[in-house]
Amino acid sequence: MEWLQQLINGISLGSIYALIALGYTMVYGIIKLINFAHGEVFMIGAFIGYISIAGWGLGFFPALLLSMTVCAVIGVVIERIAYKRLRNATRIAALITAIGVSLLIQNGVIYLRGAQPAAYPDVFANKSFNLFGAQISTQAILILSVSVVLMLILQFVVHKTKIGKAMRAVSYDAEAAKLMGINVDNTISATFAIGSALAGAAGVIFGIYYTKIDPLMGVIPGLKAFVAAVLGGIGIIPGAVAGGLVLGVVETVVSALGFSPWRDAAAFIILILILIFKPSGLFGKNTREKV
Amino acid sequence: MKFKRAWSLLAAMTLGVGLLAACGQEGKDGASGGKDGDEIKIGVNLELSGAVASYGTSEADGIQLAVDEINKDGGIDGKKIKLVKIDNKSDPAEATNAAIKLTTQENVVAIIGAATSGATVAQAQIANDNKTPLISPSGTSPTVTVNDKGEVNEYVFRTSFIDPFQGTVAANFAANDLGVKNVAIFSDNASDYSKGLASSFKKDFEKSGGKIVAEESYVAKDSDFRSTLTRIKSAKPEFIFIPGYYEEVGLIVKQAREMGIDVPLMGADGWDSPILMDLAGAEALNNTFTTNHYSSDDPDGAVKAFNDKFNDKYSKAPDAFNALGYDTVYLLKDAIERAGSADSTKIKDELAKTDGLDLVTGNYSVDENHHPIKSATILEYKDGEQVFNTKVNP
C-alpha cells in the first residue's frame, strides 16, 4: 500500500501549502498585491509557537491561538506601515516593497536570535497506527483536521458574516464599495489579519510536523504556496486550497518515483506551465481584456 | 554633456584603482612586520554562524584552548600565537572573502579552516596563490587537497581523515560487525561530502558481497523526507547509510522511525552535533551508528588528558570538532618548530613531511596527496548518549 502512504504524505504537505496560499490569494484578491512577506509571517508564526510551547510550556491549542493572534497583528502592522501608502502607486512599487519587507523580517529575526535552527518539542505522544498497510501518525491526523477546521471557519467568515461581505465587495470594486459606505481601509486590514493568522497557524503546524524551524524557513514554503495560489487561480479562495493539495501530492509523486532532487523544480515547472497555458488558474474564468 | 559625464566617470575609476593599489601596497608592508615580529599571526576562517555554525564554534573552542596552552608555556620558539578570527557564515563565498582578507590584509602565516569541505575548497586557490598554508580541521572531501585535475593543492592540508575512508569504515562495519546484506543509501545530492561518502560506501560494500537495494537522494534544506523514505521502506533494506549533515539527518531519522523503519541507520562525522539530538529525539536515535574522528569515552591516555583540560576551561565534555580544532593547532606548531621559523613556505614544506605525530584524534602521518593516515572511531547512540563502540585502523 505504498501509494496510500504516499497520498497521505502528499495531503499532509499540501494542507500546509494550502493554509499559506490562502493568505496570498486573499490579499491578492483584495488589493492585487502579491505579498511576498507572507512566507515570513509564516516563519514568525512558527517561532511564536515554538517560544510558547518550549519556553512557556503552553499546550498545542493555546500556542496555536497565540501564534495566530500575534501574526494577525503583525500582518496588519505590515500593511499599515509598508503597503497602505502605496495603494495608488504602481503595482511593481508595491511588489518591490513586499520583497523588501520580506528581507527585513528574515534578517531582523537572524539579528535577534541568530541563524541556527531550533527543534520543536513534541507536544503529543506521537503514535502511529496502521491503515490498510500505511502508517498514519496522530500528528498527521491532527494537522489535517486543524487545517480543515480553519478552512471551514474561513469559508464561514467570507460568506456568512458582515466583514466577509465587505471583503467580497471591496474585492469586486473598491470604489463602489466605498461609495456604499464600506470602510475600505478596515476591510483591507481585516483581510491581512485573517490571511496572516492562517499563515501563523501553518507555521505552528509545520513546526510540529517537520520539527526543524529557522529564520529562512519561510522562503521555499512561501514560494510554493504562491505557486499553489496561482495554480488554483489567484484571488479565488477554494482555488488556493485545491492548488495547495495538488502541489503537495505532485511533489510527493515526484519523490515517490525516485526523482526527489527534482521536487522543487517540479513545483516551479507547474508555475511556468500554468502561466503559459492557463494564467487564470484551474478555478479561474477566462475574462476578456476590455478595450 | 555626455562627454563630460564619461570623463568624470573615467577620472573616478582611475582614482578608485589608485586607491585600491595603495591599499594593497600598505598591506604588503604590514606583512613583513607581522611575520617577523615577536608573535605568530594565525588566521581562523570558520563557520561561526549559519547552517553549520555548530562545527565552526566547536573548532574555535578547541583552537582557543590549544593556543592558550601554548602561549602559557612560552609560545612557539619564544613567539606568542595571535589568532585573527573571521566568521565565514557557513557560506563558501564568504569563506573566499575571509581568506583574501586574512592573506592580503592581515598577512597571517597560516589559516585554520574551514570546517566543511565546500568552504575550504573555495579558499584553496587563494592559499596557493598567496603561498599561505591552509589547514582544514574537518574538511573530509578528497577534493580539499587534490583539485579536479588531480594535482595536489600544495598549500592545503587537513587534520581529519578523508571521506572515502569514512565510507570504507562504515561499509566494513555494516558487513562484518552488523552482518547485513541488503542496504539502502540516502544521500544529500547538493553536497560533495555526502556524495563522496555514498560512492565509497557503495564500492566497498559491494566488494564485500553486499547488495544496495535502494539509492535515493535529497537536497539540503528539505524538510519533508517522508515520500522518499516510503520508497526506501518498500525496498526492505536491513540497514540504511545516511551520510548527511545533522540538520537534515535529524529530520530523516525522526521521520524514518515514525514511519516504522526500525533498522540500524548509520552516518559519519556530519551527524555530530547536539542539535541532532534535539531534532531526532533520543529514542529515534537508538540503533544508529556514526564513524567519527574521536570519542570522549575512548580509554586512550592522551584523550583522557585532553578531556580534563577541556572540561576545566569550558565545563563540558569535548566533541570531535573540539578535538580536531585543538589538534590542528598542534599540527601547525609541530611544523613551525621543525621549520625553525614562521615562514609560510617552510611551514608548508614541513607540514607535508609530518610523520607519526601523536595527536588527540590519533597518530597522524600525511601521504603525498596531503591525505592523513590515521584511525577512525565508531560510535553508537544509546538513549541520547554517544557511546564508544570500536576503533578502526587504516
Side-chain angles (χ1 to χ4, degrees):
Chain A
M1 279 297 158
E2 196 188 331
W3 64 269
L4 182 63
Q5 179 84 60
Q6 296 291 22
L7 191 67
I8 294 166
N9 296 337
I11 291 174
S12 309
L13 179 67
S15 59
I16 292 176
Y17 288 156
L19 277 180
I20 314 175
L22 283 169
Y24 267 113
T25 224
M26 287 170 72
V27 166
Y28 184 86
I30 206 154
I31 54 171
K32 302 280 175 284
L33 165 74
I34 293 166
N35 180 15
F36 274 115
H38 196 63
E40 275 51 57
V41 176
F42 159 77
M43 177 267 290
I44 291 178
F47 273 100
I48 291 166
Y50 171 73
I51 294 166
S52 43
I53 294 171
W56 305 334
L58 294 184
F60 170 71
F61 287 104
L64 185 73
L65 286 178
L66 182 71
S67 168
M68 288 174 72
T69 316
V70 177
C71 284
V73 174
I74 289 174
V76 173
V77 169
I78 292 173
E79 192 267 330
R80 283 283 152 108
I81 294 176
Y83 305 147
K84 193 181 171 192
R85 55 196 77 214
L86 292 173
R87 208 165 285 158
N88 296 317
T90 54
R91 276 166 71 180
I92 193 81
L95 189 72
I96 292 169
T97 309
I99 294 172
V101 172
S102 155
L103 289 173
L104 177 75
I105 298 177
Q106 278 169 21
N107 290 292
V109 172
I110 292 177
Y111 177 77
L112 288 176
R113 66 168 294 284
Q116 74 281 11
Y120 246 70
D122 284 325
V123 261
F124 330 91
N126 191 19
K127 287 200 200 84
S128 42
F129 51 88
N130 210 304
L131 178 83
F132 306 119
Q135 292 279 332
I136 304 181
S137 65
T138 41
Q139 278 181 0
I141 291 174
L142 183 99
I143 286 163
L144 283 178
S145 31
V146 170
S147 311
V148 169
V149 168
L150 287 174
M151 287 170 202
L152 290 177
I153 293 176
L154 177 72
Q155 201 65 10
F156 175 79
V157 168
V158 171
H159 289 283
K160 304 280 176 199
T161 63
K162 220 166 182 179
I163 188 75
K165 208 172 201 175
M167 278 160 57
R168 281 180 291 143
V170 173
S171 160
Y172 195 77
D173 188 335
E175 283 300 311
K178 206 172 183 177
L179 291 173
M180 292 295 133
I182 292 173
N183 187 333
V184 174
D185 282 344
N186 282 355
T187 309
I188 291 175
S189 292
T191 310
F192 268 88
I194 295 172
S196 303
L198 291 175
V204 177
I205 290 175
F206 182 95
I208 286 173
Y209 195 51
Y210 292 119
T211 319
K212 188 187 74 172
I213 60 169
D214 65 77
L216 299 180
M217 65 182 275
V219 179
I220 290 294
L223 286 175
K224 298 270 183 72
F226 171 66
V227 175
V230 173
L231 176 63
I234 193 145
I236 304 162
I237 289 176
V241 176
L245 292 176
V246 169
L247 192 67
V249 171
V250 167
E251 283 196 5
T252 307
V253 167
V254 169
S255 301
L257 294 175
F259 300 105
S260 54
W262 287 91
R263 204 160 78 155
D264 289 358
F268 297 115
I269 289 170
I270 289 179
L271 176 67
I272 294 169
L273 291 180
I274 278 283
L275 288 176
I276 293 174
F277 295 107
K278 200 164 188 321
S280 55
L282 295 179
F283 284 46
K285 294 183 194 73
N286 279 322
T287 45
R288 196 165 292 166
E289 196 88 5
K290 278 178 220 143
V291 188
Chain B
M1 194 58 185
K2 246 185 189 164
F3 264 107
K4 226 177 191 176
R5 199 178 287 166
W7 274 115
S8 59
L9 194 70
L10 195 68
M13 276 167 70
T14 324
L15 251 175
V17 170
L19 270 174
L20 279 178
C23 281
Q25 207 59 44
E26 207 176 339
K28 279 288 165 225
D29 287 345
S32 44
K35 282 182 182 174
D36 298 333
D38 51 1
E39 57 186 24
I40 298 174
K41 245 179 161 182
I42 296 176
V44 175
N45 180 352
L46 285 175
E47 291 80 345
L48 301 178
S49 68
V52 289
S54 144
Y55 307 155
T57 45
S58 284
E59 284 170 12
D61 283 349
I63 291 168
Q64 193 64 51
L65 175 66
V67 168
D68 288 351
E69 216 171 83
I70 293 168
N71 284 346
K72 213 174 106 204
D73 292 343
I76 305 175
D77 296 333
K79 292 178 187 171
K80 294 255 157 81
I81 299 176
K82 186 175 175 241
L83 293 178
V84 184
K85 286 186 197 167
I86 300 189
D87 175 13
N88 63 34
K89 305 188 178 76
S90 308
D91 176 6
E94 291 280 349
T96 312
N97 292 339
I100 293 173
K101 188 161 181 240
L102 288 169
T103 50
T104 61
Q105 291 175 26
E106 297 288 349
N107 294 291
V108 297
V109 297
I111 300 176
I112 298 179
T116 55
S117 300
T120 311
V121 172
Q123 318 168 43
Q125 189 62 42
I126 293 156
N128 284 337
D129 290 350
N130 292 294
K131 302 199 185 315
T132 308
L134 170 69
I135 313 179
S136 169
S138 53
T140 47
S141 161
T143 56
V144 167
T145 53
V146 182
N147 68 17
D148 332 331
K149 290 180 213 131
E151 298 158 354
V152 176
N153 283 325
E154 217 186 330
Y155 281 85
V156 187
F157 296 86
R158 73 176 104 220
T159 316
S160 59
F161 45 62
I162 58 170
D163 293 339
F165 181 62
Q166 290 195 77
T168 307
V169 169
N172 292 343
F173 180 75
N176 304 333
D177 295 55
L178 297 176
V180 291
K181 287 268 169 278
N182 300 313
V183 308
I185 300 175
F186 193 23
S187 61
D188 178 354
N189 196 37
S191 144
D192 290 342
Y193 162 80
S194 190
K195 285 191 283 190
L197 272 162
S199 74
S200 69
F201 176 87
K202 187 180 174 188
K203 201 178 76 201
D204 286 302
F205 192 74
E206 282 176 341
K207 211 189 283 167
S208 66
K211 198 173 151 216
I212 311 286
V213 292
E215 221 179 329
E216 295 291 334
S217 58
Y218 61 89
V219 183
K221 296 280 162 206
D222 272 359
S223 47
D224 184 60
F225 304 98
R226 290 181 173 88
S227 42
T228 316
L229 285 170
T230 304
R231 198 176 145 85
I232 290 176
K233 191 183 173 191
S234 64
K236 299 197 170 48
E238 299 165 85
F239 170 95
I240 307 175
F241 185 55
I242 313 170
Y245 289 120
Y246 61 85
E247 269 199 61
E248 286 83 22
V249 169
L251 303 184
I252 293 172
V253 170
K254 187 179 161 101
Q255 292 174 13
R257 295 297 192 224
E258 276 171 13
M259 294 174 49
I261 299 177
D262 47 14
V263 299
L265 309 176
M266 184 162 188
D269 60 334
W271 285 33
D272 192 24
S273 162
I275 294 174
L276 179 73
M277 196 69 67
D278 294 342
L279 289 174
E283 203 186 321
L285 277 170
N286 280 336
N287 203 17
T288 63
F289 302 87
T290 58
T291 50
N292 212 323
H293 308 274
Y294 153 90
S295 159
S296 52
D297 302 337
D298 191 333
D300 185 76
V303 175
K304 279 214 164 74
F306 168 69
N307 286 347
D308 292 343
K309 281 185 280 193
F310 190 88
N311 202 10
D312 280 349
K313 189 170 163 79
Y314 298 106
S315 317
K316 60 177 179 185
D319 63 22
F321 290 97
N322 293 134
L324 285 169
Y326 182 86
D327 278 355
T328 307
V329 178
Y330 276 94
L331 176 63
L332 191 56
K333 174 177 181 268
D334 173 66
I336 296 175
E337 279 171 352
R338 280 186 286 119
S341 85
D343 177 84
S344 295
T345 314
K346 280 187 199 152
I347 295 173
K348 178 261 303 180
D349 292 340
E350 292 304 326
L351 276 172
K353 287 183 209 151
T354 307
D355 185 28
L357 176 66
D358 271 319
L359 294 173
V360 174
T361 57
N363 187 281
Y364 181 104
S365 302
V366 72
D367 74 5
E368 71 281 1
N369 289 325
H370 294 187
H371 295 160
I373 303 163
K374 64 192 289 197
S375 54
T377 305
I378 296 208
L379 304 176
E380 180 179 1
Y381 281 94
K382 272 191 182 151
D383 300 321
E385 296 290 331
Q386 277 187 316
V387 186
F388 176 78
N389 188 302
T390 178
K391 204 164 188 169
V392 184
N393 286 313

